[in-house]
Amino acid sequence: MTTQAPPAGRLAIYPGSFDPLTNGHVDIILRGARLFERVLVAVLVNTDKRPMFAPHERVDMVREVFREYPNVKVDTFDGLLVDYARQKRATVIVRGLRAVSDFEYEFQMALMNRHLEASLETVFMMPAEQYTYLSSRLIKEVVSLGGDAHGLVPPLVEARLRERRQA
Ligand code: PNS
């Protein structure tokens, strides 16, 4: 196999539900932003799950948190991830791996995406240890039962979660 220089301006897509953005997601985005020229956080719109936050609210939160990072952008997507990646001319999909329990699902998705688009590479990154137990689902559960999300999500997301609980 020959080694080729990476294309200039490599764009990595970080897809997910982000309902809501957690400190684990933030950690992965920051790692991605150090590795790739640009990171596009892609919020899935069409999901069977009943979300706590509408797609535009999730996008706003990511945008606000990464306001000072010019190489981190956020967008929504619908349909197949590979189609969206082609449309954006992305070469990499970034996914976080927290624990062995994530592996099977992530492995299936990565190989399915490779089957659909062989030139798109999935890159897995591990978040800092203190975030390995974090998930949006658990955070929503804790907050809806009156628990505290402090330190688990960015302060802005914590405020939005509090507003949502009071509403
Ligand atoms: O944060 P999540 O819910 O784990 O993210 C899952 C996501 C959005 C990455 C995945 O469901 C996805 O890519 N959906 C788009 C539809 C698609 O392309 N499906 C085939 C991929 S195997």
Side-chain angles (χ1 to χ4, degrees):
M1 194 185 273
T2 55
T3 311
Q4 291 181 332
R10 196 189 285 277
L11 170 66
I13 291 185
Y14 181 42
S17 307
F18 305 105
D19 184 39
L21 182 77
T22 70
N23 281 344
H25 295 132
V26 170
D27 181 284
I28 296 292
I29 295 167
L30 292 175
R31 287 172 201 281
R34 287 197 290 268
L35 270 185
F36 304 104
E37 280 73 14
R38 292 173 296 143
V39 174
L40 180 58
V41 181
V43 176
L44 179 68
V45 170
N46 222 0
T47 165
D48 292 338
K49 302 175 205 164
R50 284 182 54 207
M52 178 178 258
F53 294 99
H56 74 272
E57 295 175 304
R58 289 179 257 156
V59 166
D60 284 351
M61 285 188 267
V62 176
R63 187 168 291 139
E64 188 59 27
V65 169
F66 287 94
R67 203 158 39 124
E68 288 171 12
Y69 291 81
N71 69 331
V72 176
K73 301 285 183 223
V74 57
D75 189 15
T76 55
F77 82 105
D78 207 352
L80 278 180
L81 177 60
V82 293
D83 288 338
Y84 179 71
R86 278 189 205 112
Q87 183 197 324
K88 293 291 169 185
R89 299 182 184 279
T91 50
V92 171
I93 294 172
V94 166
R95 290 286 289 172
L97 264 190
R98 293 164 298 187
V100 177
S101 51
D102 280 341
F103 181 77
E104 197 164 330
Y105 171 59
E106 294 296 337
F107 183 72
Q108 286 175 348
M109 274 207 305
L111 292 186
M112 178 57 81
N113 284 328
R114 180 181 284 169
H115 169 79
L116 296 170
E117 177 51 68
S119 68
L120 196 58
E121 204 61 59
T122 300
V123 171
F124 292 108
M125 286 196 274
M126 267 96 51
E129 300 90 270
Q130 69 263 36
Y131 302 132
T132 50
Y133 67 96
L134 278 189
S135 72
S136 299
R137 184 184 62 78
L138 271 186
I139 284 166
K140 282 185 285 192
E141 184 173 321
V142 166
V143 168
S144 66
L145 296 172
D148 191 356
H150 186 69
L152 308 179
V153 295
L156 171 100
V157 176
E158 195 183 338
R160 297 283 157 82
L161 282 165
R162 216 177 296 120
E163 286 163 19
R164 194 61 29 124
R165 189 173 57 194
Q166 283 159 3

